Amino acid sequence: MTAVLEAQALGRKYGKRWALRECTIDIPAGHVVGLMGPNGAGKTTLLKLASGQLEPSTGGISVLGGRPGDTPAQLAKVGFVAQDTPVYAGLTVAEHLRLGARLNPRWDAAMARERIARLGLVPAQRAGKLSGGQRAQLALTLGLAKRPELLILDEPVASLDPLARREFLQGLREAAVAHRLSVLLSSHLVSDLERICDYVIVLADSRVQMAGEVDQLLAAHHRLTGPRRDPDRLPADQHVISAGHTERQSTYVVRTDAPNHDPAWTATQLSLEDLVLAYMDKRTVDNGRAVLEVRR
Amino acid sequence: MIWLTWRQFRGSAAMMAAVLVVFAAVLALTGPNLASEYAAGVAGCTPDNTCFDFFDRFFSEYDLLFLALTLVVLILPALVGLFWGAPLITRELEAGTHLLVWNQSITRGRWLAVKLGLTGLAAMAAAGVCGLAVTWWSDPLDKSAVPEMAQMAPVVFGARGIAPMGYAAFAFVLGVTVGMLVRRTLPAMALTMVVFAAIQIAMPLLVRPHLMPPVAGTFELGRENMDGLGAPGGGSLQIFLRTSAVPGHAGAWVLSSKLVDPSGRTISSGDGSSGPSSTIVRAVPVSTTSGPCSAQGLPTGGCTAEINRLGYRQQATYQPLERFWPFQWIETGIYALLTLGLAWSSFWWLRRRLS
């Protein structure tokens, strides 16, 4: 399968500050990709680079084989729902659909109308009067009815209450399946994405910390719990992601292909949230023993 | 895109159209009366050669209205820049809707081109209608205006003919460009106003006088270029020379006006007196104790002939009224070029820097 997004040594800086650097990823088509990371990790920057809102400072990026945002054809292939799901406050719901129909050659008017009706949005209502959840749904409808091959969503559920969040993500998953759509969405809450993503990218500190299919990542990572000892004494094929210590016990999150044979260690499965948090926290291990000492 | 632009713009377009219709209707109803009053007046004054008096009377009757209409035409382009130009992009940036519209299947360049083109044409149409209507209505007054309000004079020239269209197009694109740079509506509006006002003041002061080389001329003194004579206390004769009129060229824009003595030297002293507005006072060594320029002789009118006989002259440079249309085209062309330059830079900025 072809890649929906390929980036080589992609970087973007604002002034002197790097928002994203040395980003090299290759996302295959047909996934719902969750882009996770703490606030300010560079998620929005990566998504804006992918949709052509921003130009890279260094490196290159190609989306569905083309330069992002360059031509009407490229724009037609990629849908983008921006952070806070902006809509025109003065335009009605129906006028938003008309806007979509006028500006997109592949517009699916029947699907848009059907979705609006199913969501219970009143076509004559002004978008400025919609609730946050309704507005997000309207923005998603615009993104979907454009019939893109890749739909990018930047923190689409950040301002929604838990119920609206669930409904929004549910709708997104159904649409992704129905239209065989690749989806790339970001959130700083793992729990939002856990339910619908089958591929994750973890960004922290403006770099990619981890990227891959959820199943494979979960299979390759374990939490090892055992008597307290230093990470140097773990087997060589165990790559330590994060470490935690109490007086008597050490807990490591490791990546390994080999099963654990040391009876002193108890290996347990990680949840996606544990794994993502371990990678966001990875710097503590990279910085070595000094951190270990401080933590005691 | 045309539909969306129109949908976003139709409110302000309708308001502008309504105001212009009322404005044009009022002018259309009152214009013919004004024209016939002028025609009747001219017919009455021509036989007995009293048209200067008629012009004074006629113009002073309507001067407030004349000024008000002129100001309307001058201000309209600024309003267009402020309320149509500046918010055009900033409104989208502030609401975040640029991210919505830039991710439909049209490029940003096309989006801006349609927005600029459609709204810009509307701005030019509004200013054009307003300017030409006022030009038509003011025609009798322009013919009888005092020299300071002549058709070529800075304030009036910019409110006549096709120049307002150029101003409006420029003000609009200026507003858009400033909005892109500043990214917030209110500061963008304020900056647009300051920059536009500065350019509108600089243009007649620094550029317009040199659009064509001014005509230089030496004129005998008379009623058209002299606002009276004075002989205070039997000293030297004082001439109140007009600074904005030359004889035989009604409607001209006088750039410089000075009094020269019979040998051609400029007289620059006025003995510290001051005359009526728009005049300079110049003292000439002509006897005011006896002869035609004495206190007894002045009312007979012989003094003017006497100083002309002695060789005192007005030396002036001016832009004659015949250059009105060439100047209109040149000035409109300059603003059109500025508009195109700004539009080009706004496209460049949109591609390189924005977002």
Side-chain angles (χ1 to χ4, degrees):
Chain A
M1 268 204 275
T2 56
V4 289
L5 192 154
E6 259 184 301
Q8 294 89 29
L10 180 67
R12 167 75 199 198
K13 59 179 175 179
Y14 296 105
K16 282 185 178 168
R17 195 179 66 80
W18 285 95
L20 184 73
R21 57 183 146 183
E22 293 160 37
C23 172
T24 299
I25 39 176
D26 187 347
I27 307 174
H31 288 289
V32 176
V33 183
L35 180 60
M36 304 179 199
N39 290 323
K43 301 190 296 290
T44 297
T45 303
L46 178 58
L47 295 184
K48 281 190 169 176
L49 286 164
S51 64
Q53 309 293 327
L54 283 179
E55 295 276 320
S57 303
T58 58
I61 179 168
S62 88
V63 173
L64 299 165
R67 210 180 108 151
D70 215 19
T71 60
Q74 176 74 18
L75 284 162
K77 286 196 288 186
V78 181
F80 183 82
V81 178
Q83 206 161 3
D84 302 327
T85 56
V87 290
Y88 287 104
L91 267 61
T92 64
V93 170
E95 282 171 330
H96 274 89
L97 298 191
R98 193 159 172 203
L99 178 160
R102 294 266 173 169
L103 299 183
N104 297 288
R106 299 201 285 192
W107 184 256
D108 189 341
M111 187 260 256
R113 272 200 306 275
E114 186 271 328
R115 237 187 98 80
I116 291 298
R118 186 156 44 83
L119 292 164
L121 295 179
V122 182
Q125 190 166 28
R126 284 188 188 276
K129 305 247 188 233
L130 296 175
S131 72
Q134 290 174 320
R135 212 179 55 200
Q137 290 287 12
L138 175 58
L140 176 62
T141 305
L142 279 176
L144 287 172
K146 184 183 172 184
R147 279 303 177 90
E149 292 170 35
L150 167 66
L151 181 61
I152 299 174
L153 304 101
D154 189 4
E155 302 263 5
V157 294
S159 57
L160 304 188
D161 62 59
L163 190 62
R165 240 167 230 244
R166 182 179 291 225
E167 279 175 8
F168 182 90
L169 292 173
Q170 181 79 21
L172 179 60
R173 179 164 50 185
E174 283 165 11
V177 172
H179 304 301
R180 270 183 246 106
L181 181 72
S182 300
V183 177
L184 171 58
L185 78 162
S186 71
S187 176
H188 58 275
L189 292 179
V190 185
S191 52
D192 284 341
L193 304 182
E194 211 164 15
R195 260 178 263 133
I196 70 164
C197 294
D198 53 8
Y199 195 104
V200 290
I201 299 169
V202 176
L203 272 180
D205 205 16
S206 69
R207 290 168 201 268
V208 176
Q209 307 290 346
M210 172 181 84
E213 287 187 38
V214 172
D215 294 346
Q216 292 174 8
L217 290 173
L218 288 179
H221 289 81
H222 303 280
R223 180 191 282 119
L224 298 179
T225 314
R228 190 188 160 91
R229 57 169 109 161
D230 279 346
D232 324 349
R233 293 175 53 200
L234 285 170
D237 59 348
Q238 313 257 337
H239 186 81
V240 177
I241 308 303
S242 80
H245 304 274
T246 60
E247 239 2 270
R248 296 156 156 255
Q249 212 176 38
S250 287
T251 306
Y252 291 102
V253 172
V254 295
R255 188 180 73 225
T256 179
D257 295 327
N260 170 51
H261 294 301
D262 189 340
W265 294 95
T266 318
T268 46
Q269 273 293 319
L270 288 159
S271 71
L272 181 61
E273 179 152 19
D274 294 333
L275 182 60
V276 168
L277 289 176
Y279 270 95
M280 286 189 196
D281 207 23
K282 189 166 165 241
R283 274 168 302 160
T284 53
V285 175
D286 293 343
N287 291 347
R289 286 184 67 101
V291 177
L292 187 72
E293 295 307 317
V294 170
R295 284 200 154 196
R296 285 172 71 184
Chain B
M1 191 58 227
I2 292 173
W3 174 80
L4 176 64
T5 306
W6 171 243
R7 175 61 190 81
Q8 290 182 286
F9 177 57
R10 68 181 187 192
S12 22
M15 203 166 78
M16 175 66 89
V19 170
L20 279 183
V21 164
V22 172
F23 185 73
V26 170
L27 293 187
L29 288 177
T30 56
N33 289 339
L34 193 72
S36 60
E37 192 184 332
Y38 174 81
V42 169
C45 72
T46 312
D48 50 1
N49 211 10
T50 54
C51 283
F52 283 123
D53 299 323
F54 165 71
F55 289 159
D56 280 349
R57 227 173 35 246
F58 182 64
F59 185 76
S60 62
E61 197 178 330
Y62 292 103
D63 58 354
L64 273 182
L65 199 53
F66 172 88
L67 260 182
L69 288 174
T70 300
L71 280 181
V72 165
V73 184
L74 289 178
I75 287 171
L76 185 85
L79 293 181
V80 161
L82 246 61
F83 292 99
W84 290 6
L88 193 78
I89 310 294
T90 56
R91 215 173 33 201
E92 305 257 355
L93 294 175
E94 280 172 340
T97 44
H98 63 296
L99 293 176
L100 176 72
V101 75
W102 289 353
N103 283 287
Q104 307 306 314
S105 310
I106 59 157
T107 58
R108 278 187 241 175
R110 170 114 180 278
W111 170 79
L112 182 62
V114 174
K115 267 175 118 62
L116 272 188
L118 212 67
T119 321
L121 283 180
M124 286 174 66
V129 165
C130 188
L132 291 174
V134 170
T135 305
W136 169 79
W137 188 90
S138 306
D139 181 58
L141 290 169
D142 282 335
K143 286 180 191 149
S144 56
V146 295
E148 296 78 39
M149 290 291 144
Q151 237 178 310
M152 286 295 282
V155 175
V156 180
F157 179 85
R160 297 287 182 273
I162 55 171
M165 279 193 259
Y167 302 154
F170 171 73
F172 170 71
V173 178
L174 178 73
V176 173
T177 312
V178 169
M180 276 190 183
L181 298 180
V182 178
R183 307 179 67 122
R184 284 184 306 138
T185 304
L186 279 178
M189 288 170 79
L191 191 60
T192 301
M193 186 156 91
V194 169
V195 172
F196 184 66
I199 289 175
Q200 290 298 76
I201 291 169
M203 185 72 193
L205 280 182
L206 305 175
V207 182
R208 200 184 297 152
H210 311 294
L211 291 183
M212 285 186 191
V215 178
T218 307
F219 302 94
E220 292 202 346
L221 298 166
R223 178 171 177 169
E224 284 176 85
N225 58 1
M226 206 169 61
D227 201 358
L229 295 158
S236 53
L237 179 73
Q238 290 181 335
I239 295 176
F240 300 107
L241 184 72
R242 288 190 199 270
T243 51
S244 49
V246 287
H249 294 278
W253 180 23
V254 178
L255 303 173
S256 73
S257 166
K258 56 193 181 184
L259 190 69
V260 293
D261 68 12
S263 58
R265 277 196 300 270
T266 304
I267 302 168
S268 54
S269 149
D271 279 358
S273 315
S274 60
S277 64
S278 303
T279 63
I280 48 171
V281 186
R282 291 292 175 259
V284 293
V286 173
S287 167
T288 56
T289 49
S290 63
C293 293
S294 63
Q296 297 76 31
L298 272 178
T300 66
C303 184
T304 306
E306 173 68 8
I307 53 177
N308 278 322
R309 190 189 63 77
L310 289 171
Y312 292 100
R313 293 288 183 271
Q314 176 195 31
Q315 209 170 62
T317 58
Y318 59 99
Q319 299 286 2
L321 183 61
E322 297 78 61
R323 292 185 177 176
F324 179 78
W325 282 107
F327 268 49
Q328 283 275 329
W329 285 108
I330 295 172
E331 179 140 335
T332 308
I334 290 173
Y335 275 85
L337 285 180
L338 289 175
T339 304
L340 290 178
L342 274 181
W344 180 85
S345 66
S346 72
F347 278 100
W348 183 87
W349 192 257
L350 181 75
R351 238 161 270 225
R352 300 276 150 207
R353 290 269 175 274
L354 210 62
S355 91

